[in-house]
Amino acid sequence: MTNPILSDWNTPFEIAPFATISDDDFTPALEQAMQAHDAEIDTIAANPDTPTFANTIEALEAAGEQMDKVLSVFFTVAGADSNPKREELQRAFSPKLAAHYSRISSNKSLFQRVADLWDRRDELGLTDEQARVLMLSHRGFVRAGAALTGDDDARMQELKARLASLGTSFTQNLLADERDWFMELAEEDLQGLPGFVVDTARAAGQEKGADGPVVTLSRSLIVPFLQFSPRRDLREKAYRAWTARGANGGETDNREIAAEILKLREERAKLLGYDSFAEYKLETEMARTPDRVRDLLMQVWEPAKKRADADADELTQMMQEDGINGPLEAWDWRYYAEKRRKAEHDLDEAALKPYLQLDRMIEASFACANRLFGLEFAPLDVPLYHPDCRAWEVTRKGQHVAVFIGDYFARGSKRSGAWCSAMRGQAKFPNVQTPVVINVCNFAKGDPALLSYDDARTLFHEFGHALHQMLSNVTYESISGTSVARDFVELPSQLYEHWLEVPEVLAEFATHADTGEPMPQEMLEKVLKAAIFDQGFQTVEYVASALVDLAFHDGAAPADPMDKQAEVLAEIGMPSAIGIRHATPHFAHVFAGDGYSSGYYSYMWSEVMDADAFAAFEEAGGAFDPERAKSLEDNILSTGGSREAEDLYLAFRGRLPGVEALLKGRGLIAA
């Protein structure tokens, strides 16, 4: 019987046939796909003909089609709809995949062919895009250890396999802690909570099989609970559980895993001739060096901490007026900040949420993409991996562009956070293929589903990533879409957040769930004025995490990451009432894989550009200026990684930005 994962996908737009795929199909499909990929690689490496771009680099680009099918399906469901079987498979697959790709990157015959092409690159008559792909291929082999020999080569393979297993364990431990903890609430514990929080807590209780409402560790529930619950004892209990993820002792404790990961990363970097993992990792980013990253973060840290300290004094006074003596604690900040926001801006989150319906915010994100880039979205009725998922066909002037899938609601089977991934990337070689893009979020389910303003920003953020995938227009998939420097990849997503704050967008799409009336002008103005509220807190908790991440990787690996975290926070004077956004045991950005390791700063690096990039629209004809939109698509969204990130930004803006636009945008210095 043909494995449905490896068979031809005779589905609309060749979307994976989720309805016919079972968990039992993954292992045999992966084994077959790896064998096929190995054979393809061996054929390329053993080719007796003189290396050419076509018989080596393009052959590598064309190889691995079956692997792409298997992994696109598996990692989609493993992240967004996991179960014990899928977790078991992920643990089994992780070392196998690490070994498989290590065999490719350490294949000496293959590397010799790539190196030969690199040495003769000026004689090959390559296009700019081909030259870029060759450079990235050669650099990738070198950085993966292809030039290593003997014991160093063998050790590199061991390191990769072990790091892959540790990253999987870290992720699954975190998911287990998030899934298993919840706090039951009595009816009297609901006093003071807005209706939307109560509704979410009741729905969470049903999912957990409890007799009544509960608070879980889903951000879409625990954050509003911390904002609104007058019960300080319950806020403390919930906050401590939230910040203890991955540090509860026992089988799901991530602290020793983090320490080993850092030690092995350092060893890996030194095998390749780098002084530290941060130097290795940042070599290919816009920032280039740890010193440039630290300089940016500290330029932001000082004004952010000054603002946060001043805010802490205000919130402490409010707390004391409530008859609570002693210091402001981390489980107090959001509660008193919300009261202060309501007092200063007369903006009530509970009154605001009915105007931020999920469906209307999706419409808003689509409408902005239509006005900027001419994209149109039509619903698709196709089987997907979970009933909550929705799909749309994306077209422009009647031509198919992409398939977009949205998976918006929190559930126990989904890891926390929000992300964008492509089940298939855009390419023109070896065949023309259009992207299948997924946005995954963790919003509270409701009828209708209502978002916080932060949720709405997240929706626009992830859709910005999706646009980067959907509007890609390059030849080779290896450089399409979001295949760019890590500290550039967040530019399109963070830039797109700005369109949520365009008054005419909110005026049209922020309509009341019950009455259908548009958001009152007075409330709209308050929303926009309050957009920079509490930025001292938000900036401090983020920058602290980024500085800890950098410190972990810039120099010798710490024997105890928790001690190193405490040392860094003490050095920068971390306010006691603000918790670090991602403490080490649940810092999945850094420890679930190498993606953001030594690179969590990249959100801030990209924000320096996104503030400046949106200013380009404002300086022209406004948020929907057609010339700026075309330049954004031509120079950034369509180009993938076909050129250096700095060159792409210069082509769009004509200059590189300074940090001032970011500080002004966050209200940390005067506009």
Side-chain angles (χ1 to χ4, degrees):
M1 185 175 177
T2 305
N3 191 305
I5 303 176
L6 298 179
S7 64
D8 291 337
W9 292 354
N10 296 314
T11 55
F13 308 107
E14 296 183 329
I15 299 172
F18 290 106
T20 64
I21 296 172
S22 75
D23 289 343
D24 292 335
D25 294 321
F26 286 117
T27 296
L30 181 64
E31 296 292 344
Q32 183 177 330
M34 283 198 297
Q35 290 176 11
H37 197 201
D38 283 337
E40 291 170 326
I41 296 300
D42 290 343
T43 299
I44 299 168
N47 190 336
D49 297 337
T50 300
T52 65
F53 188 83
N55 70 20
T56 302
I57 303 301
E58 286 191 332
L60 284 171
E61 289 281 332
E65 180 182 354
Q66 289 190 352
M67 287 290 289
D68 291 343
K69 294 177 80 169
V70 176
L71 298 182
S72 70
V73 176
F74 178 72
F75 284 116
T76 294
V77 298
D81 192 27
S82 193
N83 59 35
K85 175 66 173 177
R86 291 170 187 173
E87 292 178 11
E88 177 189 336
L89 290 172
Q90 200 167 4
R91 290 190 293 270
F93 288 176
S94 182
K96 289 182 180 180
L97 289 170
H100 173 74
Y101 288 109
S102 288
R103 284 196 300 274
I104 297 172
S105 62
S106 62
N107 186 312
K108 304 307 179 187
S109 298
L110 183 60
F111 176 57
Q112 285 174 5
R113 295 182 68 83
V114 175
D116 177 73
L117 288 170
W118 178 246
D119 291 340
R120 295 188 290 114
R121 59 190 180 277
D122 294 335
E123 309 165 10
L124 301 177
L126 303 178
T127 66
D128 289 345
E129 188 176 329
Q130 289 173 331
R132 175 75 173 170
V133 171
L134 173 58
M135 184 280 289
L136 292 172
S137 298
H138 180 260
R139 187 176 75 181
F141 272 101
V142 172
R143 287 171 57 82
L148 298 176
T149 58
D151 291 344
D152 287 349
D153 185 23
R155 180 56 179 159
M156 180 61 78
Q157 311 318 313
E158 293 173 1
L159 289 174
K160 290 179 183 177
R162 180 60 178 161
L163 282 166
S165 293
L166 290 170
T168 298
S169 296
F170 189 99
T171 302
Q172 294 190 350
N173 289 346
L174 181 55
L175 177 62
D177 277 5
E178 291 172 343
R179 181 180 56 221
D180 295 345
W181 187 91
F182 60 89
M183 178 176 70
E184 296 191 39
L185 300 175
E187 288 300 314
E188 57 267 26
D189 299 334
L190 302 176
Q191 292 181 9
L193 296 178
F196 74 87
V197 181
V198 174
D199 292 344
T200 303
R202 292 194 191 282
Q206 290 180 341
E207 185 194 3
K208 297 297 183 186
D211 292 333
V214 304
V215 173
T216 68
L217 298 183
S218 168
R219 188 177 185 88
S220 61
L221 176 51
I222 197 167
V223 168
F225 181 80
L226 292 170
Q227 278 180 287
F228 293 107
S229 175
R231 287 284 302 275
R232 194 179 191 223
D233 57 331
L234 296 183
R235 295 199 312 266
E236 178 180 359
K237 182 178 179 181
Y239 181 84
R240 289 190 181 280
W242 194 33
T243 55
R245 292 169 294 158
N248 289 303
E251 293 183 355
T252 63
D253 198 294
N254 276 332
R255 286 171 288 192
E256 290 186 6
I257 291 176
E260 186 178 354
I261 286 173
L262 293 174
K263 180 180 177 183
L264 297 184
R265 283 178 180 164
E266 180 192 10
E267 183 181 355
R268 178 181 172 188
K270 289 189 171 179
L271 276 176
L272 295 170
Y274 297 88
D275 290 337
S276 69
F277 185 81
E279 288 194 5
Y280 160 76
K281 190 68 185 298
L282 293 172
E283 179 186 49
T284 60
E285 308 296 342
M286 286 185 74
R288 303 295 183 198
T289 68
D291 286 344
R292 287 188 71 189
V293 172
R294 189 175 289 104
D295 179 59
L296 167 71
L297 293 174
M298 292 310 297
Q299 284 186 66
V300 178
W301 174 260
E302 295 300 336
K305 182 179 182 297
K306 184 177 179 180
R307 173 60 55 83
D309 286 340
D311 290 343
D313 291 341
E314 294 275 350
L315 301 184
T316 299
Q317 183 176 343
M318 292 174 65
M319 187 177 75
Q320 291 173 348
E321 289 171 358
D322 279 352
I324 302 173
N325 296 317
L328 182 76
E329 300 287 359
W331 48 87
D332 297 317
W333 190 293
R334 287 177 175 85
Y335 178 70
Y336 284 99
E338 178 60 29
K339 292 182 72 171
R340 183 185 177 197
R341 181 173 75 152
K342 189 173 181 180
E344 292 185 1
H345 296 279
D346 193 22
L347 186 62
D348 183 351
E349 176 85 3
L352 174 63
K353 281 195 83 161
Y355 290 98
L356 299 175
Q357 301 174 67
L358 171 61
D359 286 348
R360 296 248 62 200
M361 290 300 101
I362 294 171
E363 286 181 48
S365 67
F366 289 175
C368 291
N370 176 261
R371 289 186 64 181
L372 289 165
F373 311 114
L375 300 179
E376 297 181 333
F377 300 81
L380 284 174
D381 184 12
V382 291
L384 298 168
Y385 61 86
H386 192 277
D388 285 346
C389 295
R390 301 184 237 176
W392 293 265
E393 182 190 6
V394 187
T395 59
R396 179 156 57 180
K397 296 180 180 178
Q399 297 297 309
H400 176 77
V401 172
V403 169
F404 175 66
I405 298 170
D407 179 3
Y408 295 108
F409 296 124
R411 53 180 175 268
S413 62
K414 183 190 290 187
R415 64 180 171 89
S416 61
W419 63 94
C420 174
S421 59
M423 291 196 67
R424 182 175 67 231
Q426 177 271 329
K428 301 174 186 175
F429 177 90
N431 302 298
V432 174
Q433 62 184 41
T434 54
V436 176
V437 187
I438 304 179
N439 276 179
V440 183
C441 300
N442 271 281
F443 303 142
K445 206 168 188 178
D447 185 19
L450 304 178
L451 305 183
S452 67
Y453 197 70
D454 186 54
D455 288 338
R457 289 176 67 95
T458 296
L459 186 146
F460 269 70
H461 178 101
E462 297 306 333
F463 194 70
H465 281 308
L467 288 172
H468 202 180
Q469 296 278 15
M470 292 188 285
L471 292 173
S472 179
N473 185 25
V474 297
T475 302
Y476 303 103
E477 187 174 2
S478 64
I479 57 167
S480 76
T482 57
S483 300
V484 298
R486 180 65 64 176
D487 50 10
F488 190 72
V489 76
E490 298 298 336
L491 169 60
S493 55
Q494 293 179 184
L495 175 58
Y496 203 65
E497 291 179 32
H498 289 272
W499 273 272
L500 172 63
E501 297 179 355
V502 173
E504 63 188 280
V505 174
L506 285 173
E508 181 176 358
F509 294 99
T511 56
H512 198 280
D514 295 328
T515 67
E517 293 295 316
M519 184 184 291
Q521 182 64 29
E522 182 183 10
M523 180 180 283
L524 174 60
E525 292 172 0
K526 290 174 183 176
V527 167
L528 297 176
K529 286 180 181 178
I532 59 172
F533 178 76
D534 212 24
Q535 281 296 324
F537 169 88
Q538 293 183 39
T539 308
V540 160
E541 64 163 4
Y542 165 80
V543 174
S545 292
L547 286 166
V548 168
D549 166 43
L550 185 65
F552 279 160
H553 298 100
D554 187 20
D560 187 335
M562 299 303 292
D563 287 347
K564 185 66 174 179
Q565 174 182 296
E567 176 188 319
V568 172
L569 297 183
E571 285 177 357
I572 61 177
M574 182 73 175
S576 60
I578 301 179
I580 185 172
R581 182 173 297 183
H582 299 291
T584 300
H586 56 259
F587 206 164
H589 279 80
V590 170
F591 293 108
D594 272 0
Y596 282 90
S597 56
S598 201
Y600 190 61
Y601 77 92
S602 60
Y603 291 93
M604 189 65 69
W605 190 275
S606 293
E607 188 175 341
V608 170
M609 291 181 286
D610 85 61
D612 181 67
F614 192 70
F617 280 86
E618 294 178 316
E619 292 162 9
F624 294 99
D625 181 75
E627 290 186 10
R628 288 288 84 198
K630 186 176 188 307
S631 179
L632 179 63
E633 178 177 353
D634 290 347
N635 294 305
I636 293 177
L637 297 178
S638 69
T639 52
S642 60
R643 293 159 60 195
E644 289 291 336
E646 188 169 303
D647 294 337
L648 297 178
Y649 193 81
L650 284 170
F652 169 71
R653 190 64 164 121
R655 59 171 171 75
L656 292 175
V659 74
E660 292 79 12
L662 177 149
L663 295 175
K664 290 176 182 176
R666 286 183 171 237
L668 300 177
I669 61 174

